[in-house]
Amino acid sequence: MIKVSRFITLDNFITKQENFHPGASGEFTSFMHDLTFAVRLIAREVRRAGINDIIGLTDEINVHGEQVKKLDMIANEIIIKSMNHTGKLAVMASEENEELIQIPSKYPKGKYVLVFDPLDGSSNIDVNVTIGTIFGLYKRVSTGEADCNADDVLQPGYKQIAAGYALYGSSTVFVYTTGNGVNAFTYDPTVGEFILSYEGITIPDRGKYYSTNEGNTYKWSPEFKKYINYLKEKSYDGFRPYSARYIGSGVADIHRTLLYGGIFAYPADINNPKGKLRLVYECNPLAMLVEQAGGLATNGKDRILDLQPENIHERSPLFLGSKYDVEECMAFLNGTK
Ligand code: AHM
Ligand code: MG
């Protein structure tokens, strides 16, 4: 269903937004062009994934004599090589790289810091289930020509100047925010453009879905178990029971939550006291999007966007979605319900 009153391409939309900011240098617009180019390249690889595997069956070498790489490594390389030479970025951090990704000295440095998960939903990559790319964008805090340092990447999420994701599903969708609402664009391969498909997304105040990995129930806290059991009980007001939806690609589960409402939760458990998802390039961008759509994102105690990351790959529990649902979940977690 198209939820817009006008037809407009992503490129045009970004350029028009820039016109609302007198004095804008055009650098963000240019950054977005480069990033969405990378997304198009990744979408192409995702669509051809099965074919590459067939060709590369023996020893992972395809008929061209090239090594067949895992799709998440391909996506990582696409983003790095699409972005490192553009003069827009000062440094990058990726789920796939242990250390910061510095800009090679032969290329100019820019003012932005890009954090990303090149292909989220690893367990779904080989089985044709929706996966995605998540990104967050900050301004560099260090100065000078020297390499950037960890402080550039370890900024709290509220300092993001943009965040978003691309979803490689039945169609390729690009969703982003610059702190002024959330808009979604669907890729039309016949014209080679992303076209506005949802304008000003607002998450319903309350949903009908809960999304969490119930295989982990035995590891959960009693409070979280109680909350999930509560959602499954029948209530007289007709709101419960909730339905379960869990794809196992965070980006896809959160896309549904953004549009339909409800709650997505990846809590801490007895084996993983900080949960599973990564604060810098998963939780923070998704939290900014959900908040911009009118929802909430917390680690069970504090707002995700206020957390000070200590290292690039640190994890955080994540509860996000409709305002009512996240508040109710928090009430269970802190024992007031
Ligand atoms: P990934 O970045 O390696 O793909 O891991 C993150 C993914 C999320 O997309 C998803 O929400 C979660 O891990 C699923 O984990 P689990 O399989 O434990 O339910
Ligand atoms: Mg991920």
Side-chain angles (χ1 to χ4, degrees), residues 95 117 120-121 282:
E95 173 165 342
D117 178 354
D120 181 57
E282 292 180 325

Side-chain angles (χ1 to χ4, degrees), residues 229-242:
N229 282 333
Y230 163 84
L231 292 182
K232 294 190 279 191
E233 287 163 3
K234 185 163 172 43
S235 69
Y236 291 108
D237 60 11
F239 277 110
R240 291 176 289 128
Y242 279 35

